[in-house]
Amino acid sequence: MSRQNTEGSLALQERRVIVIEAAERSETQKLRVAAYCRVSSDSSDQLNSFMAQTHYYTDLITQNPNWIMADIYADEGISGTSAGRRPEFQRLLADCRRGRVNRILVKSISRFARNTKECLETIRSLKAIGVGVWFEEQNIDTSQVSGELLTAVFAAIAQKESESISENQRWSYQH
């Protein structure tokens, strides 16, 4: 077994340094931005809200010079209590995992989810792949440090509101 010299100038000559250059990243690289819109019923006022959301986010994204429109994902007449029952929401998450979306815009946390656990799990999984969500009404950006805590508080409120609406509807049917 041969011994390598680990002292003196010979050791310095044998040492090799491998330099790995940083990948070039354009300073003007645009964010791929998507919006998620949802209404829970197909009543006329909800449909007007639905159309207003989609038009608003289309204009907002296309008018920002630093953004590229990834897509508008919109579930119509579907409750927010279960992510699995919302096909456009699932398509949005799949596109995020494929690297097609960097940022998601949503009117409010209640449009994104009405289940606290699912909301936080989704936010965390998106954050892990570098996707931030901005909830406009609450002015919460999940890519910021305080984003997850604020999202948890508002998601719990949205879930409680949904439960209250359901309880009120059951009561009215019974009476």
Side-chain angles (χ1 to χ4, degrees):
M1 183 184 327
S2 70
R3 285 187 72 176
Q4 292 184 347
N5 188 352
T6 57
E7 295 180 354
S9 62
L10 186 57
L12 292 176
Q13 290 175 355
E14 291 179 4
R15 177 181 247 170
R16 293 185 337 163
V17 175
I18 299 172
V19 177
I20 302 172
E21 297 295 328
E24 286 188 38
R25 186 169 187 176
S26 171
E27 292 298 319
T28 59
Q29 187 176 15
K30 296 181 179 188
L31 283 178
R32 294 177 304 271
V33 179
Y36 178 70
C37 307
R38 183 187 63 78
V39 292
S40 57
S41 73
D42 54 6
S43 67
S44 62
D45 62 330
Q46 289 274 297
L47 293 178
N48 287 336
S49 171
F50 183 75
M51 293 304 291
Q53 286 178 59
T54 57
H55 288 298
Y56 170 77
Y57 284 113
T58 299
D59 290 344
L60 183 66
I61 294 168
T62 57
Q63 290 177 11
N64 188 318
N66 299 317
W67 291 351
I68 296 172
M69 167 74 82
D71 206 345
I72 300 290
Y73 302 82
D75 284 310
E76 183 180 345
I78 299 174
S79 169
T81 56
S82 174
R85 293 188 213 139
R86 295 185 280 152
E88 284 291 288
F89 189 74
Q90 291 304 314
R91 186 171 73 87
L92 169 62
L93 297 179
D95 283 353
C96 289
R97 288 188 293 270
R98 290 183 188 111
R100 295 179 182 166
V101 177
N102 302 113
R103 185 169 181 81
I104 301 169
L105 309 180
V106 187
K107 178 184 174 190
S108 69
I109 290 175
S110 66
R111 299 296 91 205
F112 189 77
R114 287 218 184 233
N115 178 309
T116 306
K117 181 178 180 236
E118 275 188 0
C119 182
L120 292 176
E121 287 173 349
T122 303
I123 293 300
R124 287 175 183 153
S125 69
L126 290 169
K127 192 172 187 174
I129 58 174
V131 178
V133 181
W134 182 56
F135 299 107
E136 185 174 19
E137 195 172 278
Q138 292 84 13
N139 194 26
I140 297 172
D141 184 350
T142 64
S143 62
Q144 301 297 317
V145 174
S146 62
E148 187 174 325
L149 172 64
L150 292 170
T151 300
V153 170
F154 283 99
I157 292 168
Q159 180 176 331
K160 187 61 181 166
E161 180 183 28
S162 177
E163 291 167 355
S164 177
I165 290 168
S166 294
E167 288 171 14
N168 288 340
Q169 287 178 340
R170 278 193 296 276
W171 183 89
S172 68
Y173 292 142
Q174 292 171 350
H175 295 86

